[in-house]
Every structure is written in C-alpha cells, then in structure tokens.
C-alpha cells in the first residue's frame, strides 16, 4: 500500500470512528506543481488526500484555530511534529485534542527545482528511489535528491518524533545529505560589516506583507507587536531599518521555539533567506543550552527556565 | 488633560552649582502640559514641601514632577507630600538631576541642558501616569532561621522571646555550629560550651522554637510575609519520640569512622551524636558507613536500644511550610591549607589547623583536653602558630582578612602556656589586628605575661626532621631569617563561604559577593538586610566575624524580623503587572518565568459559561513588579502599572524628539 493509500485509510478510520472531526492534510492543487491544504470532514472526502513531493505547507499553523471546533488529526512531517510539541507546551493546543499523523517522506520539492520546466505542462510530480520524477508531455525527468529537495529535507534524519499517534512512511533513521547548519557556517565566514550589508540588502526587499509571520506556527499572538496601535514599538513603514527591526524582533520572539520548518522563507514572496536567521538562532540555542525546540515534551522553554549551569556569555 | 507642576530643587549647592536651576524651571514652564514651574533651595524641607502643596491647590495641578535627587532617597517623601495635598501618590515623577546630572558633570551648560532633558522626560511620563492604590497582604508571623550555630540560635531565641514562632533548621545532627567545637573564647576565656550549651538548651525548650536538625532547606518560593519553604528532614533512623538519649547504641556500635566534629583527629561511631552536649540529644545513623545499611548485617544498636527507638526503615520526610521571614545564618567553612604545599599540611601529622588545635584542647575532644601531638601523643614544647593561611593572599587564597585569626592565635598561645607550663609559643604574623573590646590588651597579655614570641614575617618552608618540624621563615623586623625547631605547627586557615553558599543564595533569591559571601543590602546602613525583602543575614555567612559580632548581628536580624511581624499587614506595592486579556495568547511563558509564582492561568468564558480562551492572570498580592513577565511577553500583553509601554515610550519620545 502506498503512503498516500495508507493515509487515506487512516483518515477514514479516524473520521468514521468519530475520534476526530477533521483531518488536516493535503489535496490536489489547481495545477499539479502544488498541493493545497485541505480540511477533510467526512470519510468519503478522505480520498481527496494526497501525499507527494509538492506537499509543502506546514499544516500545524492551523491547529490553534482548528481545535476550537473539536478534536483534529493533522498530517505532519518530522520537522512539523516539533511545532506540535511546541504548541502543546505553549498551551495553544491540548495534546489530547490532536491526533498526530507523522509522515516520513523522502523529501519535499523545492520550488527552484522546477525552474527549467514549463510549469503548465507538468502533469505529475512523484517520488522515485533516487529523487523526484517530473512527468510532462515529453515524458519523465528524474531530478536527483540534492537538487530536488528543500534544504531542511537534505539535513533530515527522520529521527523518531517526540509525539506521534500514527506513523506513516519509512522511519528508519537515515544519514543526512547535508549538515543542518551548513549554510550558517558559510554565513559565519562573513565579517560583521559584510553581514550587515547582506541583511541590509535583504531587508530592503521586504514589502511587509507578513506572509512569514502568517505561515509560522509559532506566530500565534492575537495581536502582533507590529500591529499595535496604542504602543507603537515598530514603525509600519517599509524602509530597510523598519523592516530590519520587524524581522529581528520576530526572530527574537521565535528564539528557542523555532523548529526550522522553513515556512517563513518559503512563504516570502521576495526571496529573503529568513530561515538562515532562524538557523543561526537555533545553533546558538543548541550551543548554549544543548536543547533543540520540539525534540522533547519535557524540555522546559529555553527562555522560561533557569539552571545554575546555564552559560552566561555575551553573544557577539 | 494633565496639569503638570514642575519643582526644581537646588539641593543647596549640590545641584545649583552645576545646573542653572532658574533656566531649567523656565524651560519646564514651556513644556506641553506644564501649568506651573518653580525652583527652591531645599524642596524636601518643610517650606519646600509646603510650596508643592500650595501650588497643587492654587494651580489645580494633577501631576507633579520633582527634579532633585534619586527617587531612592526622596520619592517616598514627595509621594507622601502630594498625597497630603489630595493627589494620588503615584501622580509623581522624580527627575534625578543630582546623581544623574550635577554630581557627575562639571560643564554647567551641558549639565543644564541635560537637566532640561531629564525634566522633559519626566513631564512626558507623568502626563500619562494613572492613580494607583495598594492592597493589604497578610503576614505569616513565623520565622525560618537557616543554620543552628550561635548566630542562628541567638536569632531564634530573640524572635521567640518576642512571642513569635521560629523554626530553626540545622543540617548536622545537632545545633551548636562551629562554636560548639571551640574550647575557650577570646578575650575573656569563657569556656565556649559553658556559654553556648545553655543557649542550645534554651532554644530546645522554648515553646516558640521548633528545631529541625539533620534537615535541609530544599526550596524557597513566595515573598516577604509569605514564603513557602520546602524542608527535607533527613532520615535519622532513630525515632525521636522514643529515644531517651541514653547513649547505649553508640557505646556498642562496632563501626568507627573519622569524626567530622573532631576535624578528623578522633573517631565516632556509625550511630552517633556529634558531641556529648548535642541538642537534640538523639543519635543519627550514618547510612553511608553503618554495617546494616552497607552489608545487611549487625543491628547491634537495635538490639541494645532499651526503648526500641532504632528504625532502619525511616525515610526522608519533605515538608512545606509558610514563613513570613527568613534569616540566613549558614556560617562558614575553612580553607584547606594543603593548597600551600610548602607547609606540609596533610603530609606531616603535627602540622594542624587552628580548628583541630581547638579540638585537642577541648575537654570533650579526642584527647579529653590533654594537649598531645597527633603523631606520638606526647605534649608539644615548641609550638609555631602561622597567621593568614589563605587569608590576605591574592595568589593562592583570598584577598580578604579572616578577622578572627589574630585573636585566636593569641588565645592559643596563651592557653598553650597554661596547659603545658614549659611550652613556648611562636606566632608568625603579617599585622596584628586586635580591634575589639579588650582585644589589644588580650594580645599584649599573651606576649608579655605568657611570653609568646611574635615574629613579623612569613614562613617559607616546613620540613620534618626526626620528630621535629623545622620551620623556616623570616623575621622582617629583625631583618633576618629564622629557623625554629617545633613540635607542632598550627595553621590559622582562612574562613571561606560554605561550599554550597551560591546554591543557598539562589534558593533564597539573594546575591553573593565575588567570594560567595551573602551580600547585604547596604554595607553600612543596612548590614543585616539583603535586597530581597523579608530575608536577613546573621553571622559569618555574610563575612568573617567573631562571636560577639555574630551574636550582635543575630540580634539585629531578629529585631528586623520582629519589626516586620509587629505590623498587622504588609502593604503591597501598587506597581504590579496586569494582563490585557484581549490580546493575551495564553502561552503562559510569563507563568514560567515569574520569580514569585504570581501568575496563574485563568479561563475566560462567554456569558453562557462556555470556555473562550485561557489567559494569564496576575495575583496582585504576590507580584513584586519586577517586570520579568513584561519583558517576556511577545505580544506586549502584560504591562507594569506605573511603567506601562506608553508611559515609557512617552519618556523616550520626549528625549528623541527634543529640539
């Protein structure tokens, strides 16, 4: 049975038994290069669920709202299970309200991999043993893994998730194709001035659409600091300085909570490498406190606990 | 719209000599919202305060800015002043133009300009201030004293005498502390036991004092008036209600180990009381060494006990109790002279520390009070005492002076002569520090009447030759090297903080200095308080002290506790956090990080009672207004009253957009 078939069966069981009211998963998009999030409410609709290399959105972002209408099942990749862990620990959802369908896939397609293709001519995108097959009117083209997958997938080890109710796919631990923090290492070679110039260039592109924030499962505040009217901390203009302030503040707010799902960067229409900031922060947290967000239900939040052996260095 | 009054103080010449106060008052008058502005020589004086009160009435002022000294000094004064004039005391802002301005600058023009900036910021903020009011918080009128040495005992006795309950927690099996180890005390040579043990018995028999020996404080939460303290009562393995203290068990116990109380010079049993006058006089079983616990056989003590008090199955008991105040009297440790390799401590048996020397002197010590050398049990003739072992030594030990060593060296030199009439004491010293009542006279007596030879200088090396210790050093006054053939060498090891002092400080939420001594609130004016309200210090845990100083501080700490308990209630600070329930996302990070456990989740419901969402809620009685939650809140949904974002931003804007 294919992973997709297995997912549909499980979804049907969950819905017909009444264990959940809705299964959040992926359905076919308007064209085959994209899947779209769908909310499956009946066992019949479960056949709409798909699982293929284009299933990219982090569906956990919907959970805090979705659980208000009853128990929910959600399709989550290993990186996204970590978001659920964080949401439970941060009291946004109750563990018992969420059935976690953890799916270990070979990897998710990165948009750039399709650059050479006529997107409207793409008929199907599917996993093959050595990468991703793109089917067009010309036939199948196989893109090798390191070119096909998102960076986060290349460094994924498919480590056992901290929580999972149903597991689908190959959960045998795998050797990552790339180090998770490889691009941070590359970035660290820049001097302070170069780093500043780099980000000044990046942030000058930002149009403050807040897609990064909306896509982020950690950004669930009812009112973001940047939307406040009474106490105006952050200017709403799109000058590079104001954008800088917004992004740095948002990054500080996700420090120790960012699981590296990469949704902010994927959602950004201006191509700002936001997950690089997230990873840099993640690396700092890992080096200083030895923990990584979402990897255990027991770890206290990094910014919410104090241990006598906590390091106290001055970050550069 | 606020009508702000601005009052610029000269502070005599403290402010006026650097800041043009007239000009500041003029500039203030032009600021938006300012209805009245003036200056006066001493605003805190009675005429100054009257000036403020009159202006409030005459100009219908709603908010007041006093530009003078630090709010630390006179904020309470002016809060009282404006509240007497009918305003809410929190409609006041202080602009600190003394410590932050006139005292630290000498350019008059620049200082005047800065003073105007500071006043403008305060005016912008006060215009957004809101009236605040405090609440009454009940006080748990029971004190916790941590440490059962002479300081802890004295504190407990004084508090109990005032009629309040005290729990005295001591981690060893008996109260008494260091003083119980001493033989005689300087400068009057009272026997330590004769003056300490009656106090120990008083503490034990006082109905207001509960002694928890063999117990440790595990956790402290809460705040002044209402601390929640978790105490671990370690398993004694002896039922305290059945034991009569007959001592049969430790007579018969077959297992001997080195005695901590005798500093390793004597032995104790696996079941033991540390010393004969122990309070409570109930033994404990040291489970680490007891044969029954180690090997599963023996049970001699159980067989011999006439009252069946031995209970091998006892377990640690963890209790949580409420206290209104806590006194830390946790004492000290001594520095290990092995750090000085050249003195042979730990290598030559007759090189000992002063504390070991006390035990050799003590009638209940390992030699029953006979002064005998550890190596051959013979009385020593020539004894060398060396001061400042680890004290006043930046390189190997501590830079500070341990304060008591000069005095006990003199005491030891004097007592040596009394015990062994043909003995000779040599004292190597750096300086003689004998500043206390009768102290200098005492040292003189040791030198002049008892013939102790004082040599100003350091010892470079001690080597064993036969049964003699060759002490080589310098006599810097004579300007020549000296060599003494000694039978025994006594090292005055430095006092150092308890090894777990830092951990204890963390539990109590108090700070420590660079060496880990507990930090007082003010080195001169608040020596027994710490910056955490409701916690006080007694004895050496703060800094090296002798017995008179420790006891004096203990009584000082007790009087602070009694003062606190004599009030019917505590008044809460109104500057506490409040939650905006509309924007709060309920992540409860604030609850995690609140040091006072003042934040709880709260379920919001609609009118039909259906749950809507969970938000954070601040217990105003527990909140200290530290602002940690405010900083932690990502959506700025927690605000600190009196320091709200819009108030602080107004202040910043006033500075940023200043012309």
């Amino acid at each position: 049975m294919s992973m997709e078939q297995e997912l549909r069966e499980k979804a049907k069981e969950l819905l017909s038994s009444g264990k959940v009211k809705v299964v959040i998963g992926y359905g076919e998009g308007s064209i085959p290069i994209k899947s779209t999030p769908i909310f499956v409410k009946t066992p019949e609709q479960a056949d709409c669920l798909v699982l293929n290399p284009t299933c990219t959105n982090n569906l956990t972002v919907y959970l805090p709202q979705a659980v208000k209408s009853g128990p929910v099942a959600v399709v989550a990749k290993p990186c996204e299970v970590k978001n659920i862990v964080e949401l439970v620990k941060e009291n946004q959802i109750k563990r018992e309200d969420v059935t976690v369908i953890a799916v270990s896939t070979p990897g998710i397609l990165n948009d750039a991999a399709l650059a050479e293709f006529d997107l409207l001519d793409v008929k199907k995108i599917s996993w093959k043993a050595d990468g991703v097959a793109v089917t067009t009117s010309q036939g199948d083209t196989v893109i090798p893994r390191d070119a096909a997958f998102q960076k986060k997938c290349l460094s994924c080890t498919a480590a056992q998730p901290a929580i999972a109710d149903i597991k689908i796919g190959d959960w045998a631990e795998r050797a990552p194709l790339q180090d998770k923090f490889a691009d941070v290492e590359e970035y660290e070679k820049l001097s302070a001035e170069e780093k500043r110039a780099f980000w000044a260039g990046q942030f000058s592109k930002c149009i403050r659409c807040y897609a990064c924030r909306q896509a982020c499962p950690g950004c669930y505040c009812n009112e973001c600091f940047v939307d406040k009217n009474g106490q105006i901390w952050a200017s709403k203009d799109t000058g590079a300085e104001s954008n800088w302030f917004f992004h740095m503040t948002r990054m500080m707010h996700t420090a120790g909570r960012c699981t590296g799902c990469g949704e902010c960067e994927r959602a950004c229409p201006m191509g700002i490498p936001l997950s690089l900031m997230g990873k840099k922060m993640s690396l700092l947290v890992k080096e200083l406190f030895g923990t990584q967000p979402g990897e255990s239900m027991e770890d206290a939040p990094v910014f919410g606990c104090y241990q006598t052996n906590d390091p106290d260095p001055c970050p550069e | 719209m606020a009508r702000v009054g601005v009052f610029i103080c000269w502070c005599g010449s403290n402010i006026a000599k650097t800041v043009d106060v007239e000009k500041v008052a003029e500039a203030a008058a032009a600021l938006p919202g300012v209805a009245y502005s003036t200056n006066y020589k001493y605003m805190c004086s009675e005429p100054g305060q009257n000036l403020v009160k009159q202006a409030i009435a005459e100009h219908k002022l709603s908010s007041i800015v006093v530009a003078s000294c630090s709010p630390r000094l006179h904020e309470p004064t002016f809060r009282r002043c404006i509240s007497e004039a009918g305003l809410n005391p929190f409609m006041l802002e202080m602009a600190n133009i003394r410590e932050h301005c006139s005292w630290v600058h000498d350019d008059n023009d620049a200082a005047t300009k800065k003073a105007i900036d500071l006043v403008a910021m305060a005016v912008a903020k006060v215009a957004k201030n809101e009236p605040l009011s405090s609440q009454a918080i009940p006080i748990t009128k029971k004190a916790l004293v941590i440490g059962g040495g002479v300081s802890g005992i004295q504190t407990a006795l004084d508090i109990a005498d005032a009629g309040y309950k005290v729990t005295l927690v001591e981690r060893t099996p008996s109260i008494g502390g260091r003083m119980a180890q001493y033989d005689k005390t300087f400068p009057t040579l009272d026997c330590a036991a004769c003056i300490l043990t009656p106090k120990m018995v008083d503490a034990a028999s006082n109905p207001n004092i509960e002694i928890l020996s063999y117990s440790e404080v595990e956790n402290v939460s809460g705040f002044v008036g209402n601390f929640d303290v978790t105490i671990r009562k370690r398993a004694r393995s002896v039922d305290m209600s059945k034991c009569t203290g007959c001592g049969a068990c430790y007579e018969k116990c077959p297992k001997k180990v080195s005695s901590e109380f005798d500093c390793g010079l004597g032995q104790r049993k696996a079941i033991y009381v540390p010393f004969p006058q122990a309070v409570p006089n109930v033994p404990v079983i040291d489970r680490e060494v007891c044969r029954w616990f180690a090997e599963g056989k023996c049970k001699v003590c159980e067989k011999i006990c006439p009252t069946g008090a031995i209970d091998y199955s006892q377990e640690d008991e963890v209790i949580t109790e409420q206290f209104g105040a806590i006194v830390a009297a946790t004492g000290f440790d001594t520095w290990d002279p092995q750090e000085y390799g050249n003195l042979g401590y730990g290598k030559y048996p007759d090189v000992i520390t002063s504390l070991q020397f006390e035990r050799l002197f003590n009638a209940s010590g390992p030699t029953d009070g006979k002064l005998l050398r550890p190596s051959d049990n013979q009385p020593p003739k020539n004894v060398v005492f060396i001061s400042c072992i680890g004290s006043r030594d930046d390189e190997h030990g501590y830079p500070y002076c341990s304060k008591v060593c000069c005095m006990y060296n003199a005491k030891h030199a004097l007592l040596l002569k009394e015990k062994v009439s043909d003995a000779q004491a040599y004292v190597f010293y750096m300086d003689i520090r004998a500043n206390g009542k009768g102290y200098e006279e005492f040292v003189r007596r040791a030198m002049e009447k008892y013939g102790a030879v004082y040599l100003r200088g350091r010892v470079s090396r001690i080597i064993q030759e036969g049964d003699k210790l060759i002490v080589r050093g310098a006599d810097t006054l004579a300007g020549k090297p000296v060599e003494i053939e000694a039978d025994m060498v006594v090292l005055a090891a430095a006092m150092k903080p308890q090894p777990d002092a830092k951990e204890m400080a963390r539990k109590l939420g108090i700070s420590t200095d660079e060496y880990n001594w507990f930090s007082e609130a003010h080195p001169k004016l608040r020596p027994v308080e710490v910056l955490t309200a409701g916690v006080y210090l007694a004895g050496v845990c703060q800094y090296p002290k002798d017995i008179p100083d420790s006891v004096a501080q203990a009584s000082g700490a007790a009087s602070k506790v009694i003062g606190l308990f004599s009030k019917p209630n505590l008044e809460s600070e109104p500057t506490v956090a409040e939650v905006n329930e509309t924007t709060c996302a309920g992540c409860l990070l604030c609850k995690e990080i609140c040091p006072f456990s003042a934040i709880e989740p709260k379920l919001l419901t609609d009118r039909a009672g259906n749950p809507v969402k969970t938000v954070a809620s601040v217990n105003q009685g527990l909140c200290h207004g530290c602002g940690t939650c405010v900083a932690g809140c990502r959506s700025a949904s927690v605000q600190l009253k009196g320091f709200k974002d819009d108030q602080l931003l107004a202040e910043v804007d006033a500075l940023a957009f200043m012309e």
Side-chain angles (χ1 to χ4, degrees):
Chain A
M1 193 160 47
S2 72
M3 286 201 297
E4 190 172 271
Q5 208 49 52
E6 194 180 345
L7 171 64
R8 289 175 185 172
E9 294 306 318
K10 296 287 183 194
K12 276 177 205 166
E13 274 173 43
L14 287 168
L15 289 161
S16 49
S17 70
K19 186 161 185 243
V20 302
K21 291 213 153 147
V22 58
V23 177
I24 310 177
Y26 304 94
E28 273 178 22
S30 47
I31 50 172
I33 60 157
K34 284 265 189 263
S35 307
T36 187
I38 57 169
F39 290 68
V40 176
K41 292 184 178 163
T42 64
E44 296 73 43
Q45 289 171 343
D47 285 328
C48 298
L49 287 166
V50 301
L51 211 49
N52 62 48
T54 72
C55 293
T56 185
N57 298 50
N58 184 341
L59 304 173
T60 64
V61 73
Y62 301 115
L63 286 176
Q65 278 302 316
V67 292
K68 289 188 179 166
S69 328
V72 172
V74 66
V75 176
K77 286 158 278 185
C79 49
E80 297 157 354
V81 174
K82 295 177 188 170
N83 292 115
I84 305 176
V85 170
E86 287 299 304
L87 287 169
V88 171
K89 291 203 297 199
E90 294 174 12
N91 303 296
Q92 298 307 302
I93 50 176
K94 290 199 183 79
R95 175 69 185 94
E96 60 269 26
D97 287 347
V98 179
T99 301
V100 179
I101 308 175
V103 180
S104 175
T105 75
I108 300 297
L109 192 69
N110 81 61
D111 288 348
L114 295 177
E116 301 298 313
F117 292 86
D118 174 1
L119 297 183
L120 292 177
D121 187 36
V122 175
K123 311 278 183 244
K124 191 181 166 202
I125 295 177
S126 53
W127 282 299
K128 284 279 169 302
D130 45 356
V132 168
V134 182
T135 312
T136 64
S137 54
Q138 314 293 313
D140 277 10
T141 314
V142 175
I143 312 173
R145 285 188 296 173
D146 49 356
F149 293 147
Q150 296 185 5
K151 270 186 270 176
K152 66 171 179 181
C153 302
L154 297 177
S155 65
C156 181
T157 60
Q160 294 306 311
I163 49 174
D165 301 295
I166 295 166
K167 282 206 234 173
I168 293 176
D170 176 13
W171 284 92
E173 193 141 333
R174 59 177 90 131
L177 295 172
Q178 203 180 70
D179 179 61
K180 186 178 173 188
F181 297 110
D183 42 356
V184 180
E185 257 170 53
E186 206 50 41
Y187 165 77
E188 289 300 344
K189 288 179 187 157
L190 301 179
S191 68
E193 290 73 31
E194 287 167 332
K195 283 178 185 168
R196 194 174 173 81
F198 171 73
W199 288 116
Q202 294 296 343
F203 292 138
S204 67
K205 295 192 285 187
C206 174
I207 55 172
R208 294 288 276 275
C209 66
Y210 301 132
C212 49
R213 182 187 74 190
Q214 297 311 110
C216 176
C219 277
Y220 50 69
C221 283
N222 295 322
E223 190 178 58
C224 180
F225 70 98
V226 82
D227 289 335
K228 294 223 177 260
N229 284 324
Q231 312 121 12
I232 303 189
W233 286 108
S235 162
K236 293 170 172 49
D237 77 79
T238 54
E241 290 286 318
S242 303
N243 292 343
W244 197 311
F245 184 87
F246 162 68
H247 285 290
M248 291 314 255
T249 310
R250 198 185 80 81
M251 205 42 65
M252 282 308 294
H253 285 183
T254 56
R257 309 165 60 234
C258 171
T259 60
C261 75
E263 281 292 272
C264 47
E265 180 168 329
R266 194 191 56 79
C268 179
M270 306 310 290
I272 302 173
L274 292 165
S275 56
L276 177 61
M277 273 206 287
K279 272 196 232 172
K280 162 78 183 166
M281 190 67 90
S282 228
L283 187 60
L284 277 176
V285 168
K286 187 178 173 188
E287 285 170 355
L288 291 173
F289 306 104
T291 62
Q292 288 283 268
E295 289 192 347
S296 109
M297 286 296 285
E298 282 74 42
D299 284 351
V302 165
F303 282 180
C305 68
Y306 174 73
Q307 261 123 32
T308 41
N309 60 353
D310 273 355
D312 199 10
C314 183
E316 287 164 36
Chain B
M1 184 70 190
R3 288 177 61 80
V4 182
V6 182
F7 300 85
I8 316 290
C9 179
W10 301 18
C11 195
S13 63
N14 272 307
I15 294 170
K17 85 170 184 327
T18 321
V19 171
D20 184 342
V21 285
E22 296 273 355
K23 202 169 163 191
V24 178
E26 245 170 67
L31 290 168
V34 174
Y36 179 72
S37 170
T38 191
N39 62 85
Y40 185 68
K41 203 165 186 179
Y42 292 106
M43 209 54 90
C44 59
S45 68
E46 201 181 340
Q49 291 193 42
N50 286 338
L51 193 75
V52 177
K53 288 181 195 167
Q54 277 163 20
I56 290 172
E58 271 173 40
H59 300 276
K60 299 190 167 52
L61 301 176
S62 65
S63 321
I64 302 301
V65 169
V66 178
S68 59
C69 50
S70 163
R72 197 85 193 138
L73 192 63
H74 275 314
E75 194 171 56
T77 313
F78 290 108
R79 277 188 180 160
R80 204 163 42 237
C81 164
I82 72 166
S83 99
E84 281 165 16
L87 294 185
N88 180 285
F90 290 86
M91 302 307 280
L92 170 81
E93 276 307 310
M94 301 274 293
N96 184 353
I97 60 168
R98 193 179 75 175
E99 285 87 337
H100 287 180
C101 191
S102 69
W103 276 0
V104 289
H105 300 303
D106 44 23
D107 177 336
N108 286 26
D109 288 341
T112 303
K113 192 173 173 308
K114 179 170 170 182
I116 293 171
D117 286 356
L118 291 171
V119 169
M121 289 168 74
V123 167
K125 171 155 194 277
V126 83
K128 290 190 178 283
N129 276 16
E130 298 162 333
L132 303 175
S133 51
S134 49
Q135 289 178 340
I137 311 169
I139 308 173
T140 306
K141 295 187 178 177
K142 183 175 172 192
L144 171 69
V145 178
I146 307 172
V150 66
S151 306
I153 293 170
Q154 185 65 44
T155 309
L157 284 172
D158 286 357
I159 297 170
D161 280 350
Y164 300 110
K165 295 278 180 196
V166 185
T167 297
L168 179 59
V169 173
E170 164 59 41
R171 71 172 155 197
T172 69
S174 167
I175 61 169
R178 292 288 181 196
M179 188 174 169
Q181 292 177 283
Y182 304 157
D183 182 46
K184 289 187 171 144
T185 56
F186 60 80
T188 46
L189 298 181
D190 312 78
C191 144
C194 311
I195 56 177
L196 178 68
T197 45
K199 276 192 189 291
M200 290 161 60
V201 174
D202 282 354
S205 58
N206 191 312
N208 281 339
I209 299 178
E210 176 194 26
I211 297 174
L212 299 179
S213 61
Y214 213 47
S215 301
E216 288 192 67
V217 171
E218 289 223 319
N219 189 45
V220 178
S221 61
F223 63 106
V224 56
N226 297 283
F227 291 104
D228 289 302
V229 182
T230 311
I231 300 165
R232 176 175 294 268
K233 295 160 79 172
R234 289 168 61 199
R236 239 186 154 89
S237 314
V238 176
D239 187 335
M240 290 190 78
S241 63
K242 290 186 187 156
C243 176
T244 58
C246 70
C249 52
Y250 50 83
E251 289 280 313
K252 296 288 178 205
C253 175
K255 178 76 181 180
K256 284 183 184 174
V257 288
S258 166
S259 157
E260 301 85 358
F261 191 80
D262 285 335
C263 305
L265 292 177
Q267 290 191 312
R268 65 160 169 85
K269 301 292 182 64
I271 183 165
Y272 70 108
V273 290
F275 54 103
Q277 304 81 15
V279 172
N281 187 19
V282 177
V284 299
I285 295 180
D286 179 349
R287 293 186 176 187
E288 302 269 299
V289 298
C290 166
R291 276 194 187 173
W292 171 247
F293 285 99
E295 296 157 29
K297 52 189 171 199
C298 183
K299 286 197 170 185
V300 167
C301 49
E302 189 185 55
K303 283 175 209 124
I304 204 84
C305 178
T307 61
I310 307 294
D311 178 1
Y312 300 113
S313 66
Q314 233 179 41
E315 283 178 17
D316 288 5
E317 190 188 344
V318 178
I319 57 167
T320 299
E321 280 191 47
Q322 278 218 328
F323 298 96
I326 300 176
V327 180
T330 52
F332 65 98
D333 194 6
T334 52
W335 192 74
D336 181 0
Q338 291 199 55
E339 302 259 335
Y340 286 153
N342 56 340
L343 300 184
Y345 179 78
K347 194 161 94 185
Y348 308 139
D350 295 329
V351 179
I352 60 172
T353 66
S354 301
L355 203 53
Q356 289 175 315
F357 195 67
E358 290 280 353
R359 295 311 300 154
L360 289 183
F361 256 91
N362 196 296
S364 62
T367 54
D368 295 329
K370 290 190 214 61
L371 181 60
L372 302 171
R373 310 205 308 174
S375 62
D376 55 7
N377 282 331
Q378 294 303 311
K381 296 278 179 293
N382 286 351
V383 180
V384 172
F385 298 90
I386 309 176
S387 302
C388 301
I389 301 299
S391 310
R392 303 179 68 191
D393 180 356
D394 277 347
E395 212 173 315
H396 303 98
Y398 298 99
Y400 57 76
C401 164
S402 289
K403 209 177 167 193
V404 294
C405 325
C406 287
M407 291 310 298
Y408 67 64
N409 272 340
K411 175 186 81 177
H412 289 161
L414 190 151
L415 291 176
L416 169 71
K417 194 79 180 166
E418 286 202 336
K419 283 252 176 198
V420 186
S421 58
D422 58 345
Q424 175 62 51
Y426 298 90
V427 181
F428 281 92
Y429 70 100
M430 284 164 72
D431 299 287
I432 298 172
R433 297 187 165 169
N435 50 350
K437 189 174 180 182
Y439 285 13
E440 176 63 19
E441 300 92 309
F442 183 76
V443 176
R444 286 269 145 222
R445 189 146 64 103
M447 289 179 188
E448 289 160 10
K449 294 229 172 87
Y450 289 80
V453 174
Y454 270 67
L455 298 158
R456 188 175 198 278
R458 302 287 282 170
V459 170
S460 57
R461 194 159 188 80
I462 297 173
I463 43 175
Q464 180 108 44
E465 268 181 21
D467 65 344
K468 298 286 182 193
L469 292 161
I470 309 300
V471 181
R472 293 200 184 116
D475 179 352
T476 56
L477 295 181
K480 57 184 183 186
V482 282
E483 187 173 295
I484 296 162
E485 213 174 71
D487 301 302
M488 185 183 249
V489 176
V490 182
L491 306 176
M495 284 180 166
K496 68 170 194 180
Q498 293 279 15
D500 57 351
K502 191 91 190 162
E503 177 66 15
M504 177 56 76
R506 195 193 57 74
K507 285 179 192 165
L508 294 173
I510 66 178
S511 51
T512 54
D513 67 11
E514 57 196 300
Y515 316 112
N516 288 345
W517 298 114
F518 297 157
S519 299
E520 63 286 332
H522 190 283
K524 293 167 209 100
L525 301 180
R526 295 173 70 195
V528 302
E529 291 144 287
V530 297
L531 287 173
T532 303
V535 180
Y536 307 95
L537 304 178
V540 184
C541 61
Q542 178 201 16
Y543 196 72
K545 287 185 193 73
D546 55 19
I547 294 166
D549 283 0
S550 296
V551 171
Q553 194 186 16
S555 288
S559 79
K560 289 286 170 193
V561 173
I562 296 163
L564 175 71
F565 288 178
S566 66
K567 293 177 193 152
N569 283 307
L570 283 174
E571 248 186 30
S572 72
E573 274 291 321
T575 45
V576 293
E578 65 179 357
V579 175
N580 179 340
E581 294 179 348
T582 313
T583 59
C584 174
C587 74
L588 299 177
L589 178 67
C590 50
K591 177 177 180 286
E592 298 284 335
I593 61 181
C594 175
F596 306 102
S597 308
I599 298 180
E600 285 300 321
K602 174 177 159 189
L603 186 66
L604 297 185
T605 56
D606 63 13
R607 273 182 286 180
N610 302 311
V612 176
K613 66 168 180 174
T614 301
V615 295
S617 168
V618 179
N619 179 329
Q620 309 254 311
L622 295 179
C623 177
H624 273 210
C626 70
T628 305
C629 53
V630 181
C633 182
R634 295 184 280 267
S635 62
S637 298
V638 202
Q639 293 284 301
L640 191 59
K641 290 187 204 170
F643 300 91
K644 291 187 172 176
D645 283 353
D646 62 333
Q647 296 167 338
L648 300 182
L649 282 171
E651 230 174 331
V652 175
D653 285 349
L655 185 65
F657 303 120
M658 193 93 57
E659 276 138 35

